[in-house]
């Protein structure tokens, strides 16, 4: 299947191809909990696991652990273990994480500024499609 201009011929990647390494990065960043972790840590202040969990209302410990590990593995988050009793672990964004965190913050700002317009469009769509259903009254 032709996806258009193939950047691989010119030393680049084509993110529309399933094997493109860029897609794995985009999959990680586009995750709901990933985006929220990045925004929560964007101010540069380290946070502990329990603090992050309280900040991210609705996240389960398992999902938060998986998200933090994935971000650490990709170099977007650092985990620092302090040898105390009980052990203290802090998470923060290194330079790479701060860069993407800034981009995600921009998306978050846009979402907050436009959530009412998106909600109105959704309601208008739902009403329009409900009228188009067989047996619906006009």
């Amino acid at each position: 299947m032709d996806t258009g201009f193939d950047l691989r011929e010119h030393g680049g990647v084509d993110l529309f191809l399933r094997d493109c390494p860029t897609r794995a990065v985009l999959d990680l960043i586009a995750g709901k909990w990933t985006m929220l972790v990045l925004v929560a840590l964007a101010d540069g202040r380290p946070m502990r696991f329990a603090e992050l969990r309280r900040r991210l209302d609705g996240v389960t410990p398992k999902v938060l652990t998986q998200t933090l590990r994935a971000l650490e593995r990709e170099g977007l988050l650092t985990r620092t273990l302090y040898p105390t009793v009980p052990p203290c672990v802090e998470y923060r964004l290194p330079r790479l994480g701060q860069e993407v965190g800034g981009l995600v913050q921009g998306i978050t700002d846009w979402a907050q500024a436009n959530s009412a317009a998106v909600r109105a469009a959704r309601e208008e769509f739902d009403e329009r499609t409900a009228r188009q259903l067989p047996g619906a009254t006009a």
Side-chain angles (χ1 to χ4, degrees):
M1 174 160 128
D2 183 17
T3 59
F5 185 73
D6 191 347
L7 295 174
R8 294 171 299 166
E9 297 173 8
H10 306 282
V13 295
D14 187 346
L15 64 93
F16 296 105
L17 298 175
R18 84 181 87 201
D19 295 333
C20 178
T22 303
R23 281 176 79 165
V25 176
L26 290 173
D27 284 344
L28 173 65
I29 294 168
K32 170 176 71 172
W33 297 115
T34 297
M35 293 183 83
L36 293 174
V37 166
L38 291 170
V39 171
L41 293 170
D43 65 1
R45 186 178 61 84
M47 294 179 83
R48 295 177 69 175
F49 184 90
E51 190 177 7
L52 274 168
R53 185 158 176 241
R54 282 190 303 272
R55 181 87 169 111
L56 305 177
D57 186 32
V59 69
T60 65
K62 178 182 176 183
V63 170
L64 181 55
T65 297
Q66 291 171 338
T67 302
L68 294 170
R69 284 184 182 159
L71 287 168
E72 182 181 13
R73 182 173 185 239
E74 302 300 328
L76 302 178
L77 178 127
T78 57
R79 178 183 183 271
T80 305
L81 173 65
Y82 297 97
T84 59
V85 178
C88 174
V89 178
E90 288 183 339
Y91 300 92
R92 71 173 37 196
L93 300 181
R95 183 192 57 79
L96 195 61
Q98 289 173 352
E99 286 179 20
V100 73
L103 297 170
V104 171
Q105 183 65 58
I107 293 169
T108 302
D109 293 344
W110 180 90
Q112 288 177 333
N114 292 285
S115 64
V118 170
R119 190 175 332 108
R122 180 187 323 126
E123 291 170 359
E124 189 274 329
F125 176 86
D126 291 346
E127 289 172 11
R128 188 175 67 245
T129 55
R131 288 191 305 264
Q132 293 172 355
L133 292 175
T137 58

